[in-house]
Amino acid sequence: MSRIVSPEEFVDAFHPIVAAREGEIGHLFYCRKDYTALFLDHEGGVLSRTAQSLDLVFWTEFLQVDAAFASSLGEVERFSVAIEHEHDAKTSIWEMNKLAYVDTSLKVLITYPDEEEEPKLLRSYERIVRITQVMNELAQHRRYLAVFAFEEGEAITWRYHVYTVSGFVPLPAPDSRSVAPHA
């Protein structure tokens, strides 16, 4: 049985990793190939380390999804987390649509919009989730997380939004709320 990872638990594992690697992330921000490798590399990538922090196994490019986390390497009944990493925020709507059809307990989209795009993207994502959810189950389990990064020079600001019955709402970064240690 797969482990259920909450949006808060994912952010608590992800945020310290991107914060510690801010200089490297800022330096590679516009080098798409290297930047993608920084996130998706099996050995030391951001998402690989996030999976390790959650005590899960990291997979890449499974069923055309950029990354997934599972409880083991053996026969996987179900993934715990599915992740799409999209540089171009304008095409991220397609990636959210793809995530909507993946059966996992948490679906994470990481993208890089301009600040003025943020509200419009969140509304588009909400429409996708509402259309594809079954009997409001997904909203009750808060299984969607939109992660946005904004760059100013080599400084990176991360914003997290979790899907609720009210739509996507901000989820504070761990450094601005109490964080429970991972089990």
Side-chain angles (χ1 to χ4, degrees):
M1 183 154 159
S2 68
R3 182 168 148 228
I4 294 175
V5 176
S6 72
E8 294 83 0
E9 188 178 9
F10 181 89
V11 170
D12 289 349
F14 176 84
H15 190 78
I17 294 165
V18 293
R21 297 179 83 168
E22 181 178 0
E24 186 178 11
I25 290 170
H27 179 71
L28 296 175
F29 202 79
Y30 294 105
C31 304
R32 287 190 175 195
K33 184 178 179 182
D34 293 337
Y35 191 85
T36 297
L38 175 66
F39 273 77
L40 298 178
D41 182 66
H42 262 280
E43 299 305 314
V46 168
L47 295 176
S48 175
R49 300 248 171 150
T50 302
Q52 289 171 355
S53 179
L54 293 167
D55 198 28
L56 294 169
V57 177
F58 177 69
W59 296 67
T60 57
E61 288 300 325
F62 184 80
L63 296 175
Q64 298 298 311
V65 174
D66 288 339
F69 298 172
S71 296
S72 69
L73 282 173
E75 291 186 29
V76 177
E77 293 179 18
R78 184 179 220 178
F79 284 103
S80 296
V81 182
I83 303 165
E84 278 295 334
H85 180 260
E86 179 57 42
H87 287 279
D88 187 353
K90 290 172 182 49
T91 62
S92 68
I93 294 167
W94 167 250
E95 304 302 329
M96 181 60 80
N97 196 44
K98 187 185 334 179
L99 285 172
Y101 291 97
V102 176
D103 188 17
T104 62
S105 61
L106 180 61
K107 302 159 193 227
V108 179
L109 174 64
I110 302 169
T111 194
Y112 308 90
D114 294 330
E115 290 201 48
E116 61 273 2
E117 292 178 294
E118 186 175 20
K120 182 180 177 187
L121 283 173
L122 290 172
R123 284 191 305 275
S124 295
Y125 300 162
E126 287 170 8
R127 191 171 55 254
I128 291 166
V129 173
R130 285 190 180 115
I131 289 169
T132 59
Q133 68 184 351
V134 178
M135 296 184 294
N136 214 21
E137 174 197 1
L138 299 178
Q140 292 171 0
H141 290 100
R142 298 169 38 176
R143 300 186 330 174
Y144 283 84
L145 180 64
V147 178
F148 294 155
F150 303 93
E151 178 265 345
E152 285 186 30
E154 289 192 9
I156 307 294
T157 301
W158 295 90
R159 292 190 195 150
Y160 306 96
H161 303 275
V162 64
Y163 186 77
T164 69
V165 292
S166 301
F168 278 94
V169 298
L171 178 64
D175 50 4
S176 62
R177 59 182 162 86
S178 298
V179 179
H182 298 294

